[in-house]
Amino acid sequence: MKINRCCKVWFAAVVALMLVLPGFAACAKEAPPPTLTEPGEKVREILYWHNTDLSGPAAGTCTPASAGLIDILRYVNDIQGGIPVKGGKIKIKNVEHDGGYNVDKEIAGYRRAVDMGAWFILTHNTAFATAVYPEIAKNKIIMVASPNPAFIFGENKEWFIGAWPTQRDMIDLPLKWWYDNEFKDKGKRAPIIGSIATDNEFGWMGVYGLKYICEREGYKLGPLTYCSPAPVDVKSQILTLKGANVDVVAGTQIDYGWIAIARSAHELGFDKQLLGYFCCLPYPTIKAMGPGGVGTLSIDPSVDWASSAPGVQLIKDVNLKLYGAGVEAKHVMYKVTFTYMFAMLEAIRKAGEDIYIDDITVEDIKDALSTKITGYDPGGAGAPVSLSSGERRLWAGAWVVRVNDKGAYDYVSDLMYNNPFSAAEKNLKMYESRP
Amino acid sequence: MLPNGVLADTYEEDKALIRTKAQWGILIGAIVFFYVIPPSVLSGSWISVMNRWGITIIAALGLQLLTGYAGQISIGHSAFIAVGAYTSAILTTRLGFPIWASLPLSALSAGMIGIIFGLPSLRVKGFYLIMSTLAAQFIIMYIVTHIGLTGVQSGISAPRPSLGNINFDTDRSFYLITITMLIICTYMAVNISRSKPGRAFVAIRDNDLAAEVMGISLLRYKLLAFFIGCFFAGIAGALTAHWIGHVSPERFSLLQSLWFLGYIIVGGMGNIAGVFFGATLIIGLTEWLSLGLQNISMSYPHAALWVAPFVNILFAVIIILFLIFEPKGLAHRWHITKANYRLWPFAY
């Protein structure tokens, strides 16, 4: 191909423009929000790093989570003027880092977070969390992530907070509800539970949990199948499960996985109960799952949007203040991210009750998260939170929900509390072999 | 091409890697620069990027020799890196080997595994060989995720190296190891490409039938290419393990393997310098765009949510434009620039 000089000039110009654009965008600063502090009151800013996925396979889940975090921090910083502590107010600066569910990119971001002195890192990728977990105490950074036993029982556990229910709890609660309400009376036998999990750290945690649940409840464990984090088709896995005549399929999947499972199941006429991880609940995911996804059971650890609980009212009020117009129902990831932050903000507030604003350190907040959050009520938006050095999960329970044919989901149970971890589950050696 | 007036009088001069005082000056200057400036000037995160850059180049050098020089296309390169990473982590953590012993052993083990998966190259080539190396990617990763020795879910930790009383326990100190290994590997790769095997690789790449007729053993040299390519991957894997301090399977995906091909295609196939150009461009661009998005998110948090997907598109467009306008890679442009400079003021 003959390329003339004009093309080359265009090429150079386009590349230069593309390279310069992000820099220009960064230079343009938003107008500072109104200052809501009293004269003489100090304002201190701390950094909350969000390692999210805005462009990869988990974007459907992570984008609303980002929106939830941004909104509650705008509420704290712009509407409340910061978190009141001794001698002033603490504001939380938020960075949205798009890791694209790519561990290398996420680790690069983590290093930047450490450089920038971030106090918190919120992440949704178990593989990334596993990679940097050993460093968090050394780097003095509180990790907020999907919990797995290595984090909640591991060496650095006091630097860890479980922002989402564990993979095990996400199978345990809907499975218990399904067995009690839809299988026990008509089944007259132990149900056969199959699984489709992503073939990575995230998915394996669900499989370990499922094995434990089956052992505890006396259920029969069916085939354990795996797929990639972003599959387009899981028909072979569905056929395996169909061949084993399973009664229910537990899925530990992110959005793409759920879409593939629901569509493949529908195409093969596989109508057994699907249940598991709440990445099937974002509205775009429900829509993409289509008719095969209708009836899927999962959990929402936050209360129904229609509830009059003060926690949900606060979300509605904040949305009204920030965006003015009518507030649409927010789905699980937005609500969960918004409401889990209540306890985090409370820990910061309590850490600053006795310590002067300039002297507060990340270690004080870490300690407050272990000792000062007991029976904390997140405005009825979720189960009361009690954290200690041995309990790092922000969600003590959840509501079982079912995907409906209107592109949303319905609450089908009352608040159900998580089962405690058994001694076997706390044995970290168990996780060093294939589930 | 040498600068005007520089002529070789002896065979030794003709074979020398560095031929002029200016080249020596540039080389020493570059080495001093890379040892001194980044660790003293760059922040921790940028040092981390430099570590990734160096390790990526080491792995891509192997793929360049295998694919760019010998013409054996491999899309299982990250699996061979995984072999090096897991071998080193297992040797040091579970068997108590010192890192300095585990590093060459990891490279050797990756090289040996490479020979096994290189065997099909004796029978097949082109797309069929791609499929065979694709199998390597899946088989190796299947083994890694199914044996307890690798730590499966928890992964396996890999200690940071130390030498006597010197601990390389920070990114900044580890960078010195990375850059040293990068220099050694580059020197090895450049020399291999000029040696008898290197020329045999090129002959096989250009026409394997003609090469065989000329007396080049396809068996020997194709397997040697796989060994050398995977040996470099093993070094990169071991360095990755001890740099991050933890090895988990997520890091060695098929996508990662494809990116390694991307580095050498963008940089220039069959050219050692091309690896540097390709890795620098792609890693630099990734970091730059990521930094841009981060800054947008700090000023306009909600805007970042919808800008982010476009960043990937932007990245893809830039790569496509490079491929359209520089199909021979950035190294080709570099050679043209160098030739123009050396011929100046003459046009030819």
Side-chain angles (χ1 to χ4, degrees):
Chain A
M1 181 169 57
K2 181 92 177 156
I3 295 161
N4 60 29
R5 179 177 289 272
C6 180
C7 282
K8 287 187 178 176
V9 171
W10 267 108
F11 165 61
V14 169
V15 171
L17 187 67
M18 286 170 168
L19 291 175
V20 166
L21 267 177
F24 274 130
C27 296
K29 294 284 176 196
E30 213 172 19
T35 308
L36 299 170
T37 48
E38 299 295 323
E41 208 174 42
K42 277 197 167 185
V43 173
R44 190 174 168 194
E45 210 166 60
I46 60 175
L47 186 64
Y48 203 107
W49 187 275
H50 187 188
N51 175 55
T52 185
D53 175 9
L54 303 173
S55 58
T61 299
C62 293
T63 307
S66 290
L69 182 66
I70 290 167
D71 283 352
I72 188 162
L73 293 184
R74 284 185 71 187
Y75 161 70
V76 169
N77 295 331
D78 301 349
I79 297 174
Q80 289 199 316
I83 306 160
V85 294
K86 195 174 173 183
K89 283 183 172 175
I90 288 183
K91 290 191 173 188
I92 302 178
K93 186 87 183 165
N94 163 233
V95 172
E96 293 293 316
H97 172 73
D98 177 26
Y101 216 66
N102 173 326
V103 181
D104 274 339
K105 234 174 136 179
E106 292 173 324
I107 288 176
Y110 173 78
R111 302 271 187 249
R112 220 179 290 150
V114 172
D115 256 8
M116 290 170 71
W119 283 18
F120 300 90
I121 183 158
L122 166 64
T123 179
H124 310 270
N125 186 350
T126 312
F128 161 75
T130 308
V132 300
Y133 175 79
E135 295 181 22
I136 55 175
K138 188 182 77 185
N139 293 326
K140 292 191 167 56
I141 189 162
I142 296 169
M143 177 187 272
V144 189
S146 312
N148 77 41
F151 304 152
I152 43 187
F153 304 118
E155 264 180 27
N156 294 333
K157 62 178 185 293
E158 67 276 16
W159 287 94
F160 178 84
I161 290 293
W164 327 122
T166 66
Q167 284 95 324
R168 183 264 261 175
D169 295 333
M170 293 222 205
I171 294 172
D172 200 5
L173 299 183
L175 191 55
K176 182 174 168 45
W177 183 88
W178 170 81
Y179 180 77
D180 289 344
N181 293 279
E182 299 189 349
F183 188 81
K184 192 164 63 179
D185 293 336
K186 63 179 179 189
K188 308 290 183 196
R189 61 177 170 83
I192 306 170
I193 324 285
S195 158
I196 305 182
T198 57
D199 199 3
N200 60 13
E201 287 91 334
F202 163 73
W204 297 338
M205 281 317 304
V207 180
Y208 287 122
L210 177 63
K211 280 182 155 180
Y212 161 74
I213 295 164
C214 288
E215 199 179 303
R216 187 191 67 199
E217 303 292 339
Y219 300 154
K220 196 174 169 194
L221 194 63
L224 303 173
T225 64
Y226 297 91
C227 63
S228 75
V232 287
D233 182 286
V234 290
K235 287 200 191 74
S236 64
Q237 289 88 336
I238 296 282
L239 285 172
T240 305
L241 296 163
K242 200 175 180 179
N245 205 19
V246 298
D247 297 301
V248 60
V249 177
T252 304
Q253 299 283 346
I254 54 174
D255 324 24
Y256 281 25
W258 276 116
I259 295 165
I261 290 175
R263 288 184 173 188
S264 299
H266 185 64
E267 283 175 39
L268 292 171
F270 180 74
D271 58 358
K272 299 295 180 185
Q273 181 63 55
L274 303 175
L275 60 81
Y277 206 77
F278 68 178
C279 282
C280 60
L281 296 181
Y283 298 143
T285 309
I286 291 178
K287 194 176 170 192
M289 283 160 72
V294 175
T296 301
L297 286 171
S298 187
I299 59 164
D300 188 337
S302 58
V303 76
D304 190 358
W305 182 254
S307 155
S308 58
V312 176
Q313 283 307 315
L314 179 67
I315 303 177
K316 290 175 186 172
D317 291 347
V318 167
N319 272 268
L320 209 58
K321 277 182 185 155
L322 293 177
Y323 306 110
V327 186
E328 288 176 5
K330 300 288 181 182
H331 66 66
V332 59
M333 293 309 291
Y334 182 95
K335 277 191 299 163
V336 167
T337 311
F338 201 106
T339 48
Y340 96 77
M341 279 298 288
F342 292 161
M344 304 295 287
L345 300 173
E346 178 68 2
I348 297 171
R349 191 185 68 76
K350 288 206 164 172
E353 270 178 346
D354 306 320
I355 305 170
Y356 187 65
I357 185 166
D358 285 343
D359 300 327
I360 297 172
T361 63
V362 62
E363 281 168 310
D364 296 323
I365 295 174
K366 177 208 67 163
D367 293 340
L369 279 166
S370 291
T371 57
K372 295 185 175 175
I373 302 293
T374 308
Y376 171 73
D377 175 16
V385 187
S386 289
L387 296 174
S388 65
S389 57
E391 179 54 85
R392 312 306 295 166
R393 293 176 292 173
L394 280 170
W395 303 102
W399 289 263
V400 175
V401 297
R402 169 164 266 162
V403 172
N404 62 30
D405 57 1
K406 298 180 188 73
Y409 56 87
D410 304 315
Y411 286 67
V412 295
S413 79
D414 293 330
L415 178 63
M416 293 172 72
Y417 285 89
N418 301 329
N419 281 303
F421 277 93
S422 68
E425 284 178 293
K426 290 179 186 174
N427 179 9
L428 300 182
K429 283 278 171 201
M430 182 176 92
Y431 305 98
E432 289 181 8
S433 58
R434 182 85 186 176
Chain B
M1 181 195 290
L2 286 171
N4 281 340
V6 177
L7 301 168
D9 295 327
T10 63
Y11 283 122
E12 281 68 32
E13 278 182 21
D14 194 40
K15 285 194 292 184
L17 196 59
I18 311 292
R19 297 192 190 181
T20 66
K21 284 181 181 169
Q23 285 176 340
W24 273 112
I26 291 168
L27 179 70
I28 292 168
I31 290 174
V32 170
F33 175 86
F34 277 107
Y35 269 109
V36 175
I37 303 298
S40 47
V41 170
L42 296 180
S43 66
S45 58
W46 282 106
I47 280 290
S48 171
V49 172
M50 289 299 287
N51 274 316
R52 186 153 62 96
W53 172 79
I55 293 170
T56 301
I57 289 177
I58 292 171
L61 281 171
L63 190 64
Q64 184 71 287
L65 289 169
L66 177 62
T67 302
Y69 280 87
Q72 310 301 302
I73 302 173
S74 167
I75 54 169
H77 208 58
S78 80
F80 298 116
I81 297 173
V83 172
Y86 276 103
T87 305
S88 194
I90 290 166
L91 287 176
T92 50
T93 306
R94 302 215 194 276
L95 302 174
F97 275 59
I99 289 169
W100 309 110
S102 77
L103 193 69
L105 289 173
S106 310
L108 279 173
S109 66
M112 298 308 287
I113 299 286
I115 287 179
I116 295 170
F117 285 101
L119 284 171
S121 69
L122 302 172
R123 290 271 180 181
V124 295
K125 54 186 177 181
F127 287 117
Y128 303 98
L129 183 61
I130 291 176
M131 295 312 289
S132 128
T133 53
L134 181 65
Q137 173 76 39
F138 287 111
I139 291 169
I140 291 171
M141 294 319 292
Y142 181 86
I143 293 168
V144 159
T145 54
H146 281 77
I147 56 169
L149 203 59
T150 59
V152 190
Q153 154 66 24
S154 313
I156 182 167
S157 61
R160 285 289 180 104
S162 61
L163 191 64
N165 292 329
I166 308 165
N167 287 319
F168 298 93
D169 55 356
T170 61
D171 277 2
R172 211 169 287 280
S173 53
F174 195 88
Y175 170 77
L176 299 175
I177 295 177
T178 305
I179 207 72
T180 305
M181 290 308 297
L182 179 61
I183 291 168
I184 294 169
C185 289
T186 307
Y187 180 74
M188 281 163 61
V190 170
N191 269 325
I192 289 168
S193 70
R194 294 160 6 115
S195 65
K196 187 182 168 188
R199 294 180 200 287
F201 292 165
V202 174
I204 291 170
R205 177 192 69 192
D206 291 346
N207 189 328
D208 56 354
L209 193 61
E212 195 170 22
V213 170
M214 285 160 58
I216 293 170
S217 164
L218 294 189
L219 170 75
R220 183 177 169 195
Y221 286 106
K222 279 188 174 179
L223 293 185
L224 185 63
F226 269 96
F227 176 80
I228 293 171
C230 297
F231 184 90
F232 278 80
I235 294 173
L239 288 174
T240 306
H242 297 290
W243 165 49
I244 300 290
H246 187 269
V247 190
S248 61
E250 198 85 349
R251 300 178 59 79
F252 311 104
S253 61
L254 176 64
L255 189 65
Q256 196 67 19
S257 291
L258 294 176
W259 270 118
F260 278 107
L261 274 179
Y263 294 133
I264 62 172
I265 291 171
V266 169
M269 295 277 271
N271 193 309
I272 298 297
V275 173
F276 283 77
F277 289 119
T280 306
L281 176 80
I282 292 177
I283 292 176
L285 202 55
T286 311
E287 286 303 312
W288 174 241
L289 291 174
S290 164
L291 204 59
L293 186 67
Q294 174 194 312
N295 288 334
I296 290 172
S297 92
M298 289 173 80
S299 306
Y300 305 99
H302 275 294
L305 305 189
W306 63 263
V307 167
F310 291 100
V311 170
N312 280 352
I313 296 172
L314 192 67
F315 184 77
V317 168
I318 293 172
I319 298 295
I320 290 168
L321 286 174
F322 266 100
L323 291 177
I324 292 172
F325 291 98
E326 291 294 346
K328 292 181 181 172
L330 291 172
H332 178 66
R333 180 62 44 194
W334 168 244
H335 285 304
I336 290 172
T337 310
K338 227 165 44 172
N340 284 343
Y341 168 74
R342 283 173 177 172
L343 289 170
W344 190 84
F346 305 107
Y348 51 88

